[in-house]
Amino acid sequence: MNKSVRVIGALVLILVGVVAFLIWNFTRPNRMGGDFSASFQGQPWSFSQAPRRVNLVYFGFISCPDACPLTLSHAGDAFTKLKATELEKVRLIFFTVDPHDTAAKAAAFASGFYKDFLGVRGTEEQTLKATNLLGASFMIEQQPKSFLGYSVTHSDRLFFLNSSGEVIDSIGQPRSSEEILNKIRSYL
Amino acid sequence: MNSIVLIRLAFCLLCLNASVSFADVQVSDAKIVLPAKGSDVAAAYGTFKNTAANEEVVKIKTLGPFGAGEFHETMSAGGQTSMKALDGLRIPAHALVHLEPGGRHLMLFKSKRPLKAGEKIEMVFEADGKTVPVKFEVIKRANLGH
């Protein structure tokens, strides 16, 4: 008798667990994201190598004199306000979408705004994968009359990823260091 | 004799002054932000004022140490940002145009020498056949006050 009760109890618990998992699995937000790779200072780099609790990603290009430096300087301001214990849990990745940029220049560009910002460059395939995973986009258009000879249109959005690479939040037109700082802290 | 020389000198000074101050476009708060590390592209900002009763189109004449420069406009739509090269800077009659981060700006390429914060760089513009020399102060991005 006691044995039967225990078996039935165990089965009920398992059933409840399965039902709870199915409910959670079907009702959780369908997040974008995933692992993506590129080159960092000439070496292969992937998001999953050393993810932090909070990972910020911005897609841009080095010859951008306006939106990209604005975003990165605000993000740099936010990072300088974080405590050492907070900085251990967060990082920023600047991913250039411009094939004219080199990995070395991308790294130098990003670290100019904050010493630990990572500047990476991918192949065309890697760049497309990264932007698609995060729901970003970019377009390179020929502009023969301009000095550069081309223009770059890109998402102006700072993505917040968890340690699994899932997009947990984002800021469009990120032009406030306070907003970036508050969002980082809300996920630490 | 002396009075004639003085009158001639005053007339010359008046003419010289006229060639500068009679330009219908005046520029204030002119700044160049140092390029970011790894980049050789700088952005310049400032306020362009048109005192004339007609629209003026400002063109670049000389660029100091820069190899090239263009007026650009940053445009944001649908979460995307892009830049469009402008064919000169159009200023309506009796109006101000602010070159500022996130909007219209002067994009400067390929400086022939490193720039230093605090230095002044003269560039010359042209509007309606008149030259407009402008001294830009080079500043760090942190001092832009955005």
Side-chain angles (χ1 to χ4, degrees), chain A residues 15-117:
Chain A
L15 190 64
V16 168
V18 168
V19 170
F21 171 77
L22 289 172
I23 291 170
W24 170 79
N25 194 40
F26 284 111
T27 57
R28 70 175 174 160
N30 188 17
R31 284 175 175 162
M32 302 193 82
D35 194 15
F36 54 92
S37 54
S39 290
F40 174 61
Q41 292 181 330
Q43 299 296 316
W45 174 93
S46 70
F47 176 88
S48 57
Q49 276 172 359
R52 301 269 173 100
R53 184 177 294 179
V54 181
N55 305 269
L56 282 62
V57 179
Y58 188 79
F59 295 98
F61 67 113
I62 293 171
S63 297
C64 169
D66 210 47
C68 304
L70 274 174
T71 296
L72 293 177
S73 61
H74 283 300
D77 287 346
F79 271 61
T80 57
K81 290 170 188 159
L82 291 168
K83 298 172 194 157
T85 50
E86 294 174 314
L87 284 167
E88 291 170 0
K89 299 170 191 162
V90 61
R91 65 175 175 170
L92 182 142
I93 298 145
F94 168 77
F95 199 127
T96 177
V97 297
D98 186 350
H100 303 84
D101 293 341
T102 64
K105 280 191 172 181
F109 181 76
S111 66
F113 295 93
Y114 186 78
K115 62 184 176 58
D116 294 330
F117 283 0

Side-chain angles (χ1 to χ4, degrees), chain B residues 4-107:
Chain B
I4 292 172
V5 170
L6 280 173
I7 288 167
R8 282 181 178 171
L9 187 61
F11 182 74
C12 287
L13 283 171
L14 190 65
C15 290
L16 184 65
N17 186 45
S19 69
V20 176
S21 66
F22 282 4
D24 296 322
V25 173
Q26 293 160 5
V27 183
S28 59
D29 202 25
K31 292 180 172 62
I32 295 172
V33 179
L34 280 172
K37 269 170 67 181
S39 172
D40 57 5
V41 179
Y45 305 106
T47 299
F48 283 64
K49 181 182 181 183
N50 178 10
T51 58
N54 53 289
E55 180 191 72
E56 293 279 6
V57 181
V58 179
K59 302 269 187 179
I60 300 164
K61 203 169 177 190
T62 67
L63 286 163
F66 295 99
E70 292 169 348
F71 286 109
H72 277 217
E73 183 168 19
T74 299
M75 292 175 299
S76 295
Q80 304 278 311
T81 184
S82 62
M83 276 190 309
K84 184 176 79 172
L86 303 173
D87 185 21
L89 182 69
R90 292 184 176 277
I91 315 175
H94 299 299
L96 296 175
V97 168
H98 300 285
L99 302 191
E100 57 195 0
R104 280 177 279 192
H105 54 273
L106 178 60
M107 198 164 166

